[in-house]
Amino acid sequence: MTAERKKTDRPDALSTSVLLNRSDARVLTPEEERRLLEELHGHRRALAAAATEAGLGADAEFDVQEFVRSVLAAEEPPTSDEEAVLRSVAHAYNAARTRLAMANVRLVAHVARRYQDRGLSPSDLLQEGFCGLLTGIDRYDVANKTRLASYAVWWIRQALQRAVAAGAYPVRLNPRHLQKLAEASHEAEGATQPKRVRSASSEATLRRILAATRPALSLDAPLGDDGGTRLVDTLSSPVADDADEVDREDRLAALIGLLKPRERVVLQLRFGLGGGESHSLSEVSRRLDVSKERIRQIQEAALAKLRAHVDKPTFCEIR
């Protein structure tokens, strides 16, 4: 099986392929798109008028999709002709909106490719981009003579950038940093555009962005094909042999026995010997009712005695 075939067999690739090959994903002609946009504009004006009449806000603050959801959320049958007409208009608005969105779903897939390998699956990217497309459709002004795709692509990019910045990385990135990351990704993939010459400052910024966006690894992630070894197994310290542990404790007890009683107490309190809790110089000073400087002197004298009886590596091990 080829690598291309394996890639297509992934669930995300299959779901994306099914969506793009739906019968209603056909690209509209300019005339068909303009007719649907004008129809959508008429429905939006009717919905805005109904919302204003109901006291739900001025037209400038009108969220058409929020109002459509509230109209269609009612489970009871219409109690008046006006309510029945309003629901009919809401259904017609959603139908035209969906038709326009499906006709531009390939645009969403095209834009979403630039945000791959940033912590979000292809299906999540397609979903976030589709939400941005719907926002662009809701905000499109029919007075514009440009195609819907030219207007909606900005909203698609904004939705994708917010999704990536919010959920894909352990730190939050602003759109400018995401743009730098996208440019670096294209250069690494051997894009046809000539490689940009960056200043030392820009290079340093890019290195920090790349370091901050490295994917996190789970300590329970399996290593190798058999999956029998986990990443945490390679990081954990080996279990000490019981005999070695007993021998280490005996050597430590013998060394501590060379000290004077007060020196033993100071080291035990300072370094938590014998399984106790370690204390600061101030805490030991208060506990033994002597000055902090005197505690430091006793500690240094005790450590000097230990150094005189053991070599440096063994002493470091004991400390």
Side-chain angles (χ1 to χ4, degrees):
M1 182 180 292
T2 64
E4 183 178 358
R5 175 66 180 277
K6 289 180 180 179
K7 183 177 180 180
T8 306
D9 287 344
R10 294 182 304 176
D12 280 335
L14 285 174
S15 60
T16 301
S17 177
V18 169
L19 178 62
L20 296 180
N21 290 319
R22 283 178 44 166
S23 59
D24 54 352
R26 178 181 62 86
V27 177
L28 299 173
T29 64
E31 294 75 17
E32 291 174 326
E33 180 182 282
R34 175 55 55 174
R35 179 181 56 80
L36 278 173
L37 287 172
E38 291 176 352
E39 178 183 333
L40 199 73
H41 178 68
H43 296 326
R44 186 188 297 116
R45 291 185 59 184
L47 292 168
T52 302
E53 185 178 348
L56 299 179
D59 194 8
E61 304 170 353
F62 180 55
D63 186 343
V64 60
Q65 196 51 223
E66 184 68 26
F67 184 64
V68 167
R69 281 194 293 267
S70 66
V71 170
L72 300 181
E75 299 180 355
E76 298 80 7
T79 57
S80 64
D81 293 341
E82 291 79 4
E83 186 175 347
V85 171
L86 184 60
R87 290 193 188 182
S88 176
V89 172
H91 280 295
Y93 181 89
N94 268 353
R97 180 177 183 252
T98 301
R99 182 69 189 91
L100 287 166
M102 291 305 302
N104 288 275
V105 70
R106 295 181 184 277
L107 171 66
V108 177
H110 175 74
V111 177
R113 290 195 191 100
R114 298 192 61 182
Y115 298 88
Q116 289 181 352
D117 302 324
R118 300 192 194 176
L120 293 181
S121 66
S123 60
D124 288 340
L125 288 174
L126 191 62
Q127 177 179 332
E128 295 294 340
F130 197 80
C131 290
L133 171 62
L134 292 175
T135 302
I137 293 174
D138 287 334
R139 293 176 175 268
Y140 183 82
D141 187 352
V142 74
N144 293 334
K145 300 303 180 182
T146 60
R147 295 293 299 270
L148 174 63
S150 301
Y151 174 80
V153 69
W154 186 88
W155 293 98
I156 296 171
R157 288 174 181 154
Q158 288 297 305
L160 289 168
Q161 288 176 356
R162 284 195 298 268
V164 169
Y169 299 128
V171 296
R172 185 176 295 275
L173 300 179
N174 60 37
R176 181 170 58 86
H177 288 161
L178 286 171
Q179 183 64 30
K180 287 181 177 292
L181 196 61
E183 293 171 357
S185 176
H186 283 305
E187 291 180 2
E189 293 170 359
T192 56
Q193 293 85 355
K195 187 173 182 179
R196 294 190 174 188
V197 179
R198 298 188 182 90
S199 64
S201 175
S202 297
E203 285 289 349
T205 300
L206 181 59
R207 284 196 297 269
R208 288 195 295 270
I209 295 173
L210 292 174
T213 55
R214 281 196 295 263
L217 293 177
S218 171
L219 291 179
D220 292 324
L223 297 178
D225 296 334
D226 56 354
T229 305
R230 299 177 304 163
L231 179 60
V232 68
D233 297 331
T234 66
L235 303 177
S236 59
S237 300
V239 179
D241 185 79
D242 292 341
D244 292 341
E245 188 67 28
V246 172
D247 183 57
R248 186 180 298 111
E249 291 179 358
D250 289 342
R251 286 188 286 132
L252 179 60
L255 287 173
I256 297 298
L258 299 173
L259 304 175
K260 295 179 181 179
R262 173 163 287 194
E263 292 173 338
R264 287 200 297 269
V265 172
V266 169
L267 290 189
Q268 287 170 352
L269 292 175
R270 284 286 289 123
F271 303 109
L273 301 180
E277 182 181 357
S278 60
H279 297 77
S280 65
L281 286 173
S282 299
E283 292 172 338
V284 178
S285 171
R286 289 194 297 269
R287 189 158 181 173
L288 300 183
D289 195 20
V290 294
S291 68
K292 185 167 66 173
E293 178 59 24
R294 181 56 183 154
I295 294 297
R296 189 190 64 78
Q297 294 173 356
I298 295 173
Q299 172 185 312
E300 291 301 322
L303 293 178
K305 287 183 180 179
L306 295 179
R307 291 190 184 98
H309 289 82
V310 296
D311 56 5
K312 189 173 181 179
T314 308
F315 171 71
C316 293
E317 179 184 348
I318 292 175
R319 281 191 71 181

